[in-house]
Amino acid sequence: MSEQKSKSPKAKYLLRDILADHYKIAWDAKKRGEKVGWCASNFPQEICETLGVPVVYPENQAAAIAAKGAGQRMCEHSEANGYSNDICAYARISLAYMDLKECKELDMPQPDFMLCCNNICNQMIKWYENIAKELDIPMILIDIPYNTEFETSEDRVKYIRAQFDEAIVRLERITGKKFSRERFEEVMKISQESSKAWLEATEYTKYSPSPLNGFDLFNHMAVAVCARGKQEAADAFKLLAEEYEQSVKEGKSTYRGEEKHRILFEGIACWPYLRHKLTTLMEYNINMVGTVYAEAFGVIYNNVDEMMKAYSYVPNAISFERALKMRVDAVTKNNCEGAVIHTNRSCKQWSGFMYELERRLREETGIPTVTFDGDQADPRNFSKAQYDTRIQGLYEVMEANKRGGNL
Ligand code: SF4
């Protein structure tokens, strides 16, 4: 297994092309004089897809800019404009882009309207409001408040649904496009096909050894964010799942090492240091096979009300107990022997209850855990030495556990 590597899978090129097309569609629309929006990653994409309104995703852009090494430059630009260093780095990168209008690492059209949904965090409301105010453009907010209950109640569903319906009317007015119920049904069907295929592909990490390096999912999920209502995305995810199935049969993997240990990686990747994190894990023959982040974009429902519920179950909007269950399930399903927890300086919403979640995760699963300090996009908040030491520590405990608990 260790020396066997998958040939370049076709799905990954299809996914790369879908992402490139996504930006091209927005640029072309802008050139034709159509209105283009900036959209939150977990705003119900079914609305824009049905209306045929092009949108781009500032979080995706910020992640790509950070991965290409420009996170610090862009963050510093926003800080020089008076934005606090404590604000999420995605917001600082995006606010810098709004101001500069260009970034050689990844350009996208400037917005004519903003689509915000706070099911990921409330910080995003202020970020999007600032852009709307600066550029004097409209903003639509779908408020999905943090849910302290395990299930989403029917009154919450009604509250979200009323805003969903209102957002359609407002977007029709802004763009001059008409919402078709027939097309909406079709988009919901494709979105389900695509979300199910995406989730199916992510589940192949349960095989031991896994046919994929779990970090592959961090790259592919950009398509789950920005194109899950498109047939091409559904087809590409199906192909991805088929390729993983074939790899299981042939004993191949995209993980280029010998998988001796399997871990859960908790939190958003540190995009500027993705390679470093991978290399360190591979030095210890550790494969990342568990993450709830990839699953965050597999939105499953059977009707419109269930869609409202699905958007209220994204990781940052759910109760502590539901969040814990997601992690325990990921550890159990994927046979993880340890967990690496990213204490993300940018994402207070995600990291806030992580200390208690880590404690409960250890209690419920019995696996060792380590934490490291980092940031998904600001490279100044990550220390390679600290990360490496924590991975080494985890490796030693996992090795000892394999030997029966003797260090
Ligand atoms: S990384 Fe966290 S703080 Fe930043 S936009 Fe996403 S959810 Fe909000």
Side-chain angles (χ1 to χ4, degrees), residues 11 38 46 50 78 124 126 134 165 177 185 199 223 249 262 267 274 279 288 319 324 340 364 372 375 390 401 405:
W38 280 11
E46 290 81 357
T50 303
S78 278
M124 172 168 265
K126 292 295 148 196
E134 289 263 352
D165 293 341
K177 297 195 175 176
E185 294 294 329
L199 290 176
V223 171
K249 284 183 193 150
R262 300 161 60 83
L274 202 55
T279 312
M288 189 277 270
S319 70
L324 177 66
V340 174
E364 307 250 338
F372 70 94
D375 193 295
R390 302 289 159 89
N401 284 346

Side-chain angles (χ1 to χ4, degrees), residues 213 215 255 257-258 261 263 265 273-288 340 370 372 382-395 398:
N213 181 333
F215 281 100
Y255 179 71
E258 187 178 1
H261 295 288
I263 58 155
F265 184 90
Y273 296 103
L274 202 55
R275 183 179 292 273
H276 178 82
K277 287 161 91 173
L278 267 172
T279 312
T280 307
L281 288 173
M282 280 173 56
E283 274 171 24
Y284 295 101
N285 296 312
I286 297 171
N287 192 9
M288 189 277 270
V340 174
V370 289
F372 70 94
F382 176 83
S383 153
K384 284 183 180 174
Q386 188 210 47
Y387 176 78
D388 293 355
T389 314
R390 302 289 159 89
I391 299 300
Q392 185 188 2
L394 181 67
Y395 166 77
M398 290 192 299

Side-chain angles (χ1 to χ4, degrees), residues 59 88 90 120-121 123-124 127 268 316 346-348 376:
E59 292 153 83
C88 166
Y90 280 173
I120 56 164
C121 72
Q123 178 263 169
M124 172 168 265
W127 158 17
I268 311 176
N316 268 2
S346 265
C347 195
K348 280 82 177 166
Q376 88 270 15

